[in-house]
Amino acid sequence: MKSLIVASTREGAGKTSLSIGLAQAVGKRFGYVKPLGDRPLYRKKRLWDYDAALFSKLLQLDQEPETASLGFDHSKLRYMHDRRSVFAALREKLEAAGDERDVVLIECGKDLSYGASVFLDPLTISHETGHPVVIVAGGSENTIADDLAFVKRFVGTDEANVAGVIINKVVHLDDFRESHLPEIEKLGIEVLGVMPHQEELATRSVSTIADRLFARVLAGENGLGRTIRNVAVGAMSVDAAMSDALITAPDKLVITSGDRSDMILAAIDAGGTSAIVLTNNIVPPANVISRATEAGIPLLLVPGDTYAIALQVEHIEPLLTAEDESKITLLRDLVVEHLRVQAIEELVS
Amino acid sequence: MERLFNPRSVAVIGASTNPAKIGYRVVANMVSSGYRGAIHPVNPKGGKILGWAVHPSVEAIDEEIDLGIVSVPAAGVLPVVEACGKKGVGHLVVLTSGFSEVGKIEEERRIVETAQEYGMRILGPNVFGIYSAAGSLDATFGPGGIVPGRVAIVSQSGALGIAMIGKTASETLGLSALISVGNKSDIDESDLLEYLLTDERTAVILLYIEGVKDGGRLVETLSRVTRQKPVVVIKSGRSKRGAMAAASHTGSLAGADAVFDDVMRQCGVMRAESVQEAFNWVRYLASTPEPTGADAVIVTNGGGIGVLAADACEEFGVGLYDDQAALKDAFSAVMPVFGSSKNPVDLTGQATAEDYAAALDAVLSNDRMHAAIALYCETAMAESAQFETLLRKVYKRYRGIKPIVFSLFGGKSIAATIQRLRSEGVPVFGDVYEAVSPLGALYRSQRRSHRRDDPPTDVKIDLDAARMILRIAGEEGRRFLLAHEAAQFAEIVGLTMPVSKVARTLDQAVEAAESIGYPVVMKVVSRDIIHKSDAGGVVLDLDDKTEVVDAYQAILKRCRAYKLDAVIEGVEVAEMIRPGIETIVGARRDPSFGPVMMFGLGGIYVEVMKDVSFRAAPIGPKTANEMIASIRSYPLLLGVRGESRKDTDAVAGVIETLSHLAVRCPELTDIEINPLVVYDQGEGVRAVDVRILFDAPKGVKRR
């Protein structure tokens, strides 16, 4: 039973989305393991990884998502395992995940060192199991070049089986191919493809925001699936807001204090508002809630102040859902167009 | 205060011979109100005003002055205060505006300080003056024509107070006193209430308030006053916009209106919704005898309006006499066969004035009927002129014996009748609710005066131990207690918290859970996360080791995501207590009233329905129980749908103890027990979570 380890140089490189694309494009039946979970979902007193749940749905896996990970916090791994037992446990997971599957996709953490102290970083897993690692590199062109040069210089072939790299989220594709790719290839790195940045994949859904902020939904539950492309903080007067392009922008999230009835109504009337986050745990008057309900715009009540919430929203990454069919199809098509799918297939054959 | 209300001599500094000026108006009002003492106008220009010689300065007055009225520009006030102080003036009323209400706080402070050096009291600045029936003194710049009577009005608003002068005249409302408090730089409502409590002329007191200073003293004073005399309050700033307007008007914060409402109720003060309602109440309270019982009878010639009156009685807390046999006995002689002797007693539209008079006589002469509500719809059977005469006669008979109110409904002639009768002081109204409302106020006032006070309580609290915990936390630079500290604090004040242990690692967490016994709850311990539930830092009902392990990881992950730089010290593992009714009990330092207690049902009942009640601390067991019974969800504590009654006595005990703690430990700014789980009667309460915030104890330096 074959496995493919997918790792990333840094957080936000797009490892999970790329893995989804690979699983769709490569003609194999994939199983899934995420040794050290990092996107916890806690439901009904059980903890599982968001990505594991997503893959479980997309790949129609029999396994329960909560069995896809060995743990979420380093403390648990230390509590339960040493080096020997962690790999014994990992092998068990791989075997279970590989049942009636061709390949097990092992998705590692946010960067190359994540999990190293508990032996679950991608290079240690590769060293221990012999499975190939594909590294996803993202960021600015210089960051990508630095990261890959670093890996090449310090990761010997004894350490891990680095089969190649995929360069992801490149803004100026042609420019990159001309200016930077040759330098990277000169390092002797196997480049399995260069993927362009796609605006469509960087959007977030209202339900993701609501979940991550632990928001209470006061109105517009049916709108939780809406997309957010822009974020506006409604701290100014309504007059000033109406002449701000952001308030009239489409697919926006407006963040304002719950007692700013004027701003809330302005956001509802301005059009293009996907949702409104109400800060300071202040519930607006009933007539304002009714207006939002009528307009189908979710009102998300959160306890923090506007600044803290805006900061949190800034850091919430776009997460795919199993219902994002168009995005999933787009990922598959991008992989087919820009990656050496055959080379990847050979890795796992 | 005697010499403020009944001065032997008054100096008007800034007096003027120009009738258009305030300095003239004040002197004119004093003269026209029949003030019997000496008036000393002061103006460097000299001359005479209305027969009184004008002195060039305060120093030039060759007599002791009890009261000074200051009407000079703001820049000239301080020298006047100095001069009056030296002169030995007892009280100074500063009409001049342009002080703290426009941000000139320092200038105002200097005026008060200077006055205090001479033992002189200041009313104002920014006032319209003072009227006192005791002194026959109208030292205001209002329209004059104040009729002496039994109602005292204390107003924080100048313009509204002056307008009230006109209204009292049109409503034939006699005043014992009318005092404008303005900026309340020295003399405030509490000072005036102390005087009015003992003033024999004053039967009822009306307060118009925008902002409260020294709320603790106001609560104590009002609580004493309302046992002897009814107090009605109008307070503005109820709405958000109103509060903003009040802030810019007086420079004072309106404070939470719900707190004000409840605290006034606690003091026995009746809050009117409007100026008109307040006037209706005080007029009625000042001229109506106390009822000898709780049962009123409605006499009407229209069934519909009778039903409305019954609705109004329920709304305003007026009981209705319901002995059917006695009612039949009393009224069968005066009503047609198709009428109804049930209460409301419906004489029908065929009733004549004589029938009406006989029915009201029946109420008056019956000892078991304690008040009458007389309703009349205009018909052809009784002409309004005839009726007007009848009502005058009836009122003359009832007055001094039994409370009665009238409500007349009809056209122009009825409107004219109402106007004439009201100008004679007859309690007649065009609307049923408006008529019953003052009767309701009378009953409320009576209940207040008969209410037994809370007995003095001896609540023992180990304050030293409590302060030690605060001191240690303060030395670490914190202004809130961590969970285990809050639990220790709670035990000091007699609250039982669930058994808990703090775990710093996962294996400690598992060990703690196993030793406490399942099920357990787990909560994050972090000085950077106060609202644990909001951060995903609380997990309930963990039944085994696997769930404990997952919960530990989930809490750490979620709390780190909630606040990236939070220092997480570990988790608290605690016994999961059995379910009961969740309540919230809190003590908070209110900007107006100082320590204020809060009680309500917990969870969404607090956050969404805001079903809470407030009382100023300290409170005794009676007040605590009243507080519990005042929330809308109270029936849940009484037990519904087969549930048993809950242990509200235990809840009252917690409220009482916390209220004393809040007063004795003023460095505490916020204590919240949420939830306080209440079990069946006799089974007590358990505090599940306690949040405590405090100011740094004095002398504590950060380590």
Side-chain angles (χ1 to χ4, degrees):
Chain A
M1 186 260 311
K2 298 285 185 180
S3 289
L4 178 68
I5 302 166
V6 181
S8 78
T9 51
R10 332 187 141 235
E11 191 170 9
K15 158 177 57 66
T16 305
S17 303
L18 200 55
S19 301
I20 291 171
L22 280 174
Q24 311 284 312
V26 171
K28 301 278 180 193
R29 289 172 308 163
F30 278 87
Y32 180 87
V33 164
K34 193 170 190 189
L36 185 55
D38 59 3
R39 284 191 178 136
L41 267 184
Y42 189 63
R43 300 276 190 272
K44 295 181 187 171
K45 301 189 283 179
R46 288 310 308 274
L47 195 56
W48 66 88
D49 189 86
Y50 180 90
D51 297 335
L54 177 62
F55 272 89
S56 186
K57 265 196 186 160
L58 289 176
L59 304 177
Q60 288 162 351
L61 301 178
D62 285 335
Q63 72 182 92
E64 297 292 331
E66 53 258 51
T67 60
S69 305
L70 290 170
F72 286 81
D73 197 82
H74 292 52
S75 58
K76 186 201 175 181
L77 279 305
R78 282 188 207 109
Y79 173 65
M80 300 197 62
H81 298 292
D82 55 22
R83 184 177 184 132
R84 208 165 50 84
S85 68
V86 81
F87 283 110
L90 181 60
R91 285 195 180 89
E92 260 184 54
K93 291 253 181 249
L94 290 173
E95 206 160 305
D99 187 33
E100 295 186 20
R101 298 275 152 172
D102 303 322
V103 185
V104 176
L105 197 147
I106 305 172
E107 187 181 354
C108 288
K110 57 185 174 164
D111 55 42
L112 291 177
S113 66
Y114 188 76
S117 65
V118 289
F119 316 108
L120 292 178
D121 64 285
L123 301 180
T124 305
I125 293 175
S126 175
H127 174 83
E128 192 68 33
T129 62
H131 296 309
V133 183
V134 167
I135 297 177
V136 177
S140 68
E141 289 88 351
N142 289 327
T143 305
I144 292 168
D146 282 346
D147 287 345
L148 294 180
F150 186 87
V151 170
K152 183 65 186 174
R153 203 172 298 167
F154 294 105
V155 179
T157 47
D158 305 346
E159 307 300 326
N161 174 8
V162 179
V165 305
I166 298 172
I167 299 168
N168 198 20
K169 293 190 183 178
V170 172
V171 176
H172 304 293
L173 195 60
D174 294 333
D175 187 49
F176 187 87
R177 281 201 178 112
E178 260 185 54
S179 318
H180 299 276
L181 192 52
E183 294 301 317
I184 291 170
E185 282 168 341
K186 265 192 212 163
L187 293 170
I189 292 172
E190 182 75 21
V191 178
L192 296 168
V194 181
M195 296 269 283
H197 170 73
Q198 288 289 312
E199 183 67 43
E200 195 52 40
L201 296 173
T203 61
R204 294 164 289 186
S205 70
V206 174
S207 65
T208 302
I209 302 290
D211 257 349
R212 298 297 289 277
L213 295 179
F214 297 100
R216 213 164 294 144
V217 182
L218 300 183
E221 289 84 353
N222 292 339
L224 289 175
R226 291 177 172 208
T227 300
I228 294 167
R229 287 178 214 281
N230 298 291
V231 179
V233 175
M236 67 292 259
S237 70
V238 168
D239 281 342
M242 294 317 282
S243 49
D244 184 324
L246 211 43
I247 280 292
T248 48
D251 300 330
K252 65 180 170 295
L253 179 75
V254 175
I255 305 173
T256 191
S257 182
D259 56 353
R260 287 293 310 274
S261 299
D262 58 339
M263 183 58 69
I264 299 166
L265 292 173
I268 292 171
D269 289 342
T273 299
S274 297
I276 304 170
V277 173
L278 308 174
T279 59
N280 298 301
N281 222 16
I282 298 173
V283 178
N287 56 342
V288 172
I289 298 177
S290 299
R291 284 288 306 278
T293 306
E294 241 175 37
I297 294 177
L299 294 181
L300 310 178
L301 181 70
V302 294
D305 62 76
T306 303
Y307 168 71
I309 294 299
L311 262 188
Q312 272 185 266
V313 168
E314 176 81 5
H315 287 106
I316 295 173
E317 24 174 13
L319 291 178
L320 281 170
T321 69
E323 289 73 35
D324 288 329
E325 286 176 9
S326 58
K327 287 187 184 176
I328 292 166
T329 307
L330 177 61
L331 282 165
R332 185 200 63 203
D333 293 346
L334 285 169
V335 164
V336 165
E337 187 183 340
H338 298 281
L339 299 194
R340 292 163 46 202
V341 176
Q342 198 174 354
I344 297 168
E345 276 177 355
E346 281 165 20
L347 281 177
V348 292
S349 294
Chain B
M1 291 278 151
E2 177 63 28
R3 291 293 158 221
L4 173 64
F5 287 87
N6 195 4
R8 292 161 300 193
S9 58
V10 179
V12 181
I13 302 107
S16 173
T17 53
N18 182 346
K21 296 248 179 180
I22 286 175
Y24 176 88
R25 191 80 242 138
V26 172
V27 178
N29 278 343
M30 284 171 64
V31 170
S32 63
S33 65
Y35 175 59
R36 293 179 291 271
I39 300 175
H40 296 281
V42 177
N43 189 308
K45 291 181 189 163
K48 260 193 171 173
I49 299 172
L50 295 170
W52 293 95
V54 178
H55 306 272
S57 65
V58 169
E59 292 84 353
I61 302 172
D62 186 22
E63 189 186 328
E64 254 187 62
I65 300 293
D66 281 341
L67 176 66
I69 311 291
V70 181
S71 174
V72 301
V77 170
L78 186 59
V80 168
V81 172
E82 181 76 46
C84 289
K86 280 186 184 146
K87 181 73 186 165
V89 174
H91 294 82
L92 214 54
V93 177
V94 180
L95 307 180
T96 312
S97 57
F99 291 94
S100 65
E101 81 280 9
V102 296
K104 294 204 159 112
I105 295 168
E106 182 55 31
E107 287 83 344
E108 188 169 287
R109 194 187 55 77
R110 269 191 268 142
I111 288 172
V112 175
E113 259 178 21
T114 305
Q116 277 172 354
E117 279 171 29
Y118 295 102
M120 184 168 64
R121 299 296 306 272
I122 301 282
L123 182 69
N126 187 27
V127 298
F128 62 78
I130 179 168
Y131 166 81
S132 166
S136 297
L137 175 72
D138 182 355
T140 74
F141 58 83
I146 300 176
V147 174
R150 307 183 72 218
V151 176
I153 300 179
V154 178
S155 173
Q156 191 173 351
S157 163
L160 188 59
I162 290 185
M164 279 192 199
I165 294 174
K167 195 152 175 67
T168 58
S170 69
E171 295 273 330
T172 335
L173 181 65
L175 301 183
S176 60
L178 172 62
I179 314 110
S180 168
V181 289
N183 295 359
K184 298 192 274 195
S185 66
D186 178 14
I187 294 173
D188 63 11
E189 291 93 353
S190 299
D191 294 317
L192 297 167
L193 284 165
E194 292 283 6
Y195 172 80
L196 295 170
L197 173 61
T198 57
D199 176 37
E200 282 169 7
R201 290 170 190 264
T202 299
V204 183
I205 301 164
L206 170 59
L207 303 174
Y208 172 77
I209 295 180
E210 282 182 2
V212 175
K213 285 184 190 176
D214 198 359
R217 185 175 166 225
L218 184 62
V219 166
E220 190 277 325
T221 310
L222 282 169
S223 299
R224 273 188 293 119
V225 173
T226 56
R227 279 186 210 115
Q228 295 185 47
K229 297 183 182 179
V231 177
V232 175
V233 72
I234 312 165
K235 181 179 176 290
S236 57
R238 189 191 278 271
S239 63
K240 280 182 207 148
R241 290 305 294 268
M244 283 164 65
S248 54
H249 176 215
T250 61
S252 60
L253 278 179
D257 197 74
V259 174
F260 181 86
D261 219 44
D262 278 356
V263 171
M264 286 298 106
R265 201 166 296 119
Q266 176 186 9
C267 299
V269 173
M270 292 176 280
R271 185 176 184 181
E273 295 291 317
S274 67
V275 174
Q276 186 60 56
E277 184 172 61
F279 269 49
N280 289 344
W281 288 0
V282 298
R283 202 164 88 146
Y284 196 68
L285 289 163
S287 58
T288 308
E290 260 198 28
T292 53
D295 296 325
V297 175
I298 301 169
V299 175
T300 178
N301 71 338
I305 203 171
V307 172
L308 277 176
D311 291 343
C313 284
E314 186 165 303
E315 176 153 334
F316 296 119
V318 177
L320 289 176
Y321 186 65
D322 63 2
D323 183 337
Q324 304 301 334
L327 282 164
K328 197 171 175 185
D329 250 349
F331 295 104
S332 52
V334 298
M335 74 172 42
V337 166
F338 45 86
S340 168
S341 62
K342 292 184 186 161
N343 192 2
V345 176
D346 186 358
L347 305 176
T348 79
Q350 304 218 344
T352 62
E354 288 75 27
D355 294 331
Y356 216 89
L360 290 176
D361 273 350
V363 176
L364 182 62
S365 58
N366 191 315
D367 286 340
R368 287 177 298 169
M369 297 175 193
H370 307 119
I373 300 167
L375 313 176
Y376 170 71
C377 296
E378 191 176 23
T379 68
M381 296 304 291
E383 283 183 13
S384 63
Q386 213 182 355
F387 220 78
E388 189 173 323
T389 310
L390 166 68
L391 292 197
R392 268 197 202 90
K393 256 195 203 158
V394 168
Y395 183 59
K396 203 171 165 186
R397 294 186 59 205
Y398 265 80
R399 199 174 179 171
I401 301 175
K402 219 171 254 197
I404 185 167
V405 289
F406 301 93
S407 177
L408 312 185
F409 192 74
K412 274 190 197 160
S413 62
I414 289 291
T417 295
I418 290 173
Q419 202 170 359
R420 278 191 293 271
L421 288 174
R422 279 182 74 86
S423 69
E424 294 165 24
V426 178
V428 58
F429 303 88
D431 176 80
V432 168
Y433 272 75
E434 215 185 329
V436 177
S437 166
L439 185 59
L442 182 67
Y443 272 108
R444 269 196 286 160
S445 171
Q446 186 184 51
R447 283 193 287 272
R448 166 62 188 175
S449 63
H450 292 175
R451 179 186 181 276
R452 273 175 299 125
D453 292 334
D454 262 318
T457 47
D458 179 27
V459 176
K460 291 198 179 3
I461 303 170
D462 188 347
L463 273 182
D464 290 336
R467 286 209 161 100
M468 179 59 72
I469 298 173
L470 299 181
R471 175 171 287 273
I472 292 170
E475 283 170 359
E476 291 180 13
R478 279 186 282 117
R479 293 296 168 265
F480 68 94
L481 296 185
L482 295 175
H484 64 283
E485 295 167 332
Q488 288 166 20
F489 200 94
E491 304 232 2
I492 287 169
V493 300
L495 285 170
T496 327
M497 302 275 299
V499 174
S500 72
K501 297 184 184 197
V502 174
R504 304 199 185 280
T505 62
L506 177 53
D507 39 337
Q508 284 180 12
V510 171
E511 198 185 306
E514 309 262 282
S515 77
I516 289 170
Y518 296 104
V520 295
V521 307
M522 195 182 289
K523 303 177 215 179
V524 67
V525 175
S526 168
R527 65 193 66 198
D528 299 311
I529 297 173
I530 299 180
H531 297 284
K532 299 184 267 278
S533 295
D534 295 338
V538 177
V539 179
L540 306 178
D541 201 19
L542 300 170
D543 284 320
D544 56 41
K545 181 175 159 181
T546 308
E547 289 182 3
V548 167
V549 170
D550 274 2
Y552 182 89
Q553 296 178 89
I555 284 173
L556 290 186
K557 285 287 186 196
R558 295 195 301 196
C559 289
R560 285 191 193 120
Y562 177 78
K563 199 169 194 299
L564 294 168
D565 56 352
V567 172
I568 296 173
E569 309 199 7
V571 296
E572 185 194 359
V573 181
E575 68 173 293
M576 169 106 180
I577 63 165
R578 63 187 170 93
I581 300 275
E582 293 191 0
T583 64
I584 180 171
V585 176
R588 203 156 286 167
R589 196 193 293 158
D590 181 82
S592 297
F593 293 106
V596 167
M597 300 303 298
M598 176 185 72
F599 170 77
L601 279 216
I604 60 158
Y605 291 93
V606 164
E607 292 169 36
V608 176
M609 292 167 65
K610 297 186 176 31
D611 187 12
V612 290
S613 61
F614 299 95
R615 295 293 186 275
I619 61 182
K622 196 165 193 272
T623 306
N625 276 295
E626 284 168 358
M627 197 179 171
I628 295 167
S630 70
I631 63 168
R632 292 192 304 275
S633 315
Y634 178 58
L636 290 174
L637 290 167
L638 291 177
V640 291
R641 298 266 169 91
E643 290 261 334
S644 313
R645 190 191 164 113
K646 305 307 167 194
D647 202 337
T648 52
D649 285 339
V651 178
V654 171
I655 294 172
E656 187 188 348
T657 304
L658 266 192
S659 78
H660 284 269
L661 176 66
V663 169
R664 293 183 212 170
C665 198
E667 54 267 47
L668 287 167
T669 58
D670 195 323
I671 309 173
E672 190 178 284
I673 305 170
N674 185 18
L676 178 73
V677 181
V678 187
Y679 298 113
D680 289 348
Q681 207 159 25
E683 293 181 15
V685 296
R686 292 295 293 279
V688 176
D689 200 14
V690 178
R691 188 185 80 202
I692 297 174
L693 307 177
F694 58 96
D695 281 339
K698 286 192 175 61
V700 168
K701 288 187 188 154
R702 189 176 178 160
R703 279 197 257 112

